[in-house]
Amino acid sequence: MLSQKVQDALNEQLNWELYSSYLYAAMSAYFHSVNLKGAANWMRVQAMEELTHAGKFFDFIHERGGRVLLKEVAAPPKEWASPLAAFEEALAHEQKVTARINDLVNLVLEEKDHATHIFLQWFVSEQVEEEASVGDVVGDLKLVGDHPGRLFMIDRELGQRTFHMPSARKE
Ligand code: FEO
């Protein structure tokens, strides 16, 4: 059984994961608009991953006999000053998500909710990967400078990313 405090916090995080998906879908649309189809693909895959994160919270709340309460999802920005600016915003966003997951872990420890603590460990590890993968792209884009050829190469690489459905909740 979830405490009201934990249920509210999990619902809040579910909303954040949905917003994350919305934000990356908006970035994908922006990259399409500037003809960077590889980056658009990368963000499209990221948007799908975020939906699976939201799904994990959705399923877990139900598994624990809780109530999912969906709220309004905020509208994301539409435009970015450059590909680097978009990926820098994605990195800043992931850093915020990491801070939120850490706050959630602190809350469930206070509430002595060990099952939710175990559930959240997947997200603690996932956030390390999320920050690293976005950070790598930020690093590559910083090397582009005035060389459009480099941007073309990076975009081709970003186009290789494919979506993999996470196979189990606790992996
Ligand atoms: Fe689900 Fe990228 O945080």
Side-chain angles (χ1 to χ4, degrees), residues 32-166:
H32 272 291
S33 78
V34 293
N35 211 25
L36 288 169
K37 292 200 168 60
N41 168 71
W42 196 98
M43 285 296 177
R44 179 77 181 81
V45 171
Q46 188 68 20
M48 285 192 282
E49 275 199 6
E50 297 299 349
L51 283 183
T52 70
H53 295 174
K56 284 174 187 285
F57 282 97
F58 186 93
D59 292 341
F60 182 74
I61 293 168
H62 287 136
E63 230 179 298
R64 298 289 309 285
R67 180 76 166 92
V68 167
L69 295 167
L70 295 174
K71 289 193 258 180
E72 188 175 35
V73 180
K78 296 182 183 71
E79 301 288 344
W80 284 270
S82 65
L84 176 60
F87 272 93
E88 280 180 332
E89 183 169 336
L91 180 58
H93 180 75
E94 287 306 325
Q95 287 163 344
K96 263 188 240 161
V97 174
T98 300
R100 292 185 60 90
I101 295 289
N102 289 340
D103 287 347
L104 256 177
V105 170
N106 291 337
L107 172 70
V108 300
L109 285 174
E110 273 167 30
E111 295 279 304
K112 300 185 171 49
D113 183 341
H114 300 291
T116 306
H117 184 245
I118 291 169
F119 166 73
L120 289 173
Q121 296 314 298
W122 186 91
F123 285 92
V124 170
S125 309
E126 176 69 6
Q127 281 311 118
V128 174
E129 270 180 46
E130 292 272 270
E131 284 191 37
S133 67
V134 185
D136 282 351
V137 182
V138 168
D140 288 348
L141 288 173
K142 281 185 174 167
L143 297 175
V144 167
D146 292 330
H147 303 277
R150 284 187 198 155
L151 182 58
F152 176 78
M153 295 302 290
I154 292 169
D155 192 58
R156 269 225 318 222
E157 211 176 292
L158 296 176
Q160 304 300 311
R161 185 179 183 189
T162 54
F163 173 70
H164 301 285
M165 192 74 179

